[in-house]
Amino acid sequence: MRLYLLPLVYLLLLPFAMAAQGYRSSLDDFYLAEGIDGGKFFKRLSIAVGKQYIPGEIKFQFNGFVDTVFRDIKQEDNLKSKESYAVHVGSYFPITLVSDNSMLVLNIELYASVTKLSYDSIAITARKNIMIPYETYRAGMPVSIEYRIGGDVLLNKSSKTIIGIGGGLCPQIIKSDDYNKQIPILITPFIKGELGFFAGLAFKVRAMYYWGTYHYGITEEYGLFDTPNNYTKAEFNGASGFSISLVAMPFSFLWNKN
């Protein structure tokens, strides 16, 4: 599921855009002023903090002497995402109102994440295990077309429910120690959904899914267990992953009251 699937997202949003064409012809000045006019960048600003999950597999191999006995071990295991963090900061720009409280928008963000990839420890002997984690870093700019309903459409505190769905592309840099297998710069399709409420500030829960796979890198160690003649290699391959985040709109306390 790669770039060619992205048009499906826009096909899903097409009915909203068509409905908006008829709606705009009779749009009241109030909704134009509150929903479309510029100057509200910071009122639409959002900050998201969450966790990035990267499903995948690790290919492990060990060979050498341990306790005077030669070991030759090859094993595959599932990746686990530990100590994972993702941060998004961005805002959106109205494209067109679809109804009194729904809108198509262009959302632009900056984001960064760090994820420690690990796996279950692997037994080399009855008393000696190995698990060598690997950290991967990302930085990018997700750009998406979204359909939004509720308070962050008209920036109104009285509209308690906030809903958003959409999709787009994320140009990003991914840290890898093996650029011969994977280039560090990618453009990754994604879809996202948000559900939130207003209680003093606007808060939302966000889920994002990124398509594609990636070769994250390799860890290598020599001479483990104070024994010079052994070698360990772990190769990390996984999906682009998905994230779950808590979103706050810090300037939403400036929204209208009616």
Side-chain angles (χ1 to χ4, degrees), residues 1-2 24 101-102 113 152 205 207 239:
M1 302 178 73
R2 298 181 183 273
R24 284 292 303 278
N101 68 338
S102 64
S113 71
D152 62 349
V205 176

Side-chain angles (χ1 to χ4, degrees), residues 191-194 205-209 243-245:
I191 56 175
K192 65 186 290 190
E194 294 180 337
V205 176
R206 171 191 294 175
M208 297 182 67
Y209 176 82
S243 64
I244 304 293
S245 303

Side-chain angles (χ1 to χ4, degrees), residues 170-195:
C170 179
Q172 60 182 319
I173 299 173
I174 303 179
K175 177 232 176 186
S176 170
D177 288 339
D178 195 359
Y179 294 140
N180 291 327
K181 288 190 175 182
Q182 188 75 60
I183 59 174
I185 301 175
L186 295 177
I187 298 178
T188 307
F190 68 91
I191 56 175
K192 65 186 290 190
E194 294 180 337
L195 179 62

Side-chain angles (χ1 to χ4, degrees), residues 84-223:
S84 169
Y85 305 97
V87 178
H88 295 245
V89 178
S91 188
Y92 59 93
F93 303 90
I95 296 176
T96 185
L97 283 167
V98 178
S99 66
D100 289 357
N101 68 338
S102 64
M103 180 188 291
L104 282 179
V105 306
L106 174 67
N107 192 77
I108 301 176
E109 296 184 340
L110 298 176
Y111 102 104
S113 71
V114 56
T115 305
K116 179 179 286 187
L117 302 177
S118 65
Y119 48 96
D120 291 333
S121 60
I122 295 173
I124 303 302
T125 71
R127 297 184 179 181
K128 294 178 178 178
N129 301 309
I130 290 180
M131 195 285 288
I132 305 171
Y134 179 86
E135 282 192 344
T136 181
Y137 306 91
R138 301 186 186 203
M141 186 176 69
V143 178
S144 55
I145 301 294
E146 302 177 14
Y147 175 65
R148 298 198 175 206
I149 304 172
D152 62 349
V153 172
L154 296 179
L155 310 180
N156 196 308
K157 298 177 182 179
S158 63
S159 183
K160 301 298 184 182
T161 303
I162 302 171
I163 300 172
I165 57 172
L169 296 174
C170 179
Q172 60 182 319
I173 299 173
I174 303 179
K175 177 232 176 186
S176 170
D177 288 339
D178 195 359
Y179 294 140
N180 291 327
K181 288 190 175 182
Q182 188 75 60
I183 59 174
I185 301 175
L186 295 177
I187 298 178
T188 307
F190 68 91
I191 56 175
K192 65 186 290 190
E194 294 180 337
L195 179 62
F197 58 90
F198 187 89
L201 290 177
F203 296 96
K204 298 181 282 187
V205 176
R206 171 191 294 175
M208 297 182 67
Y209 176 82
Y210 300 88
W211 278 302
T213 58
Y214 198 78
H215 175 79
Y216 288 97
I218 295 173
T219 62
E220 296 178 288
E221 295 286 344
Y222 298 86

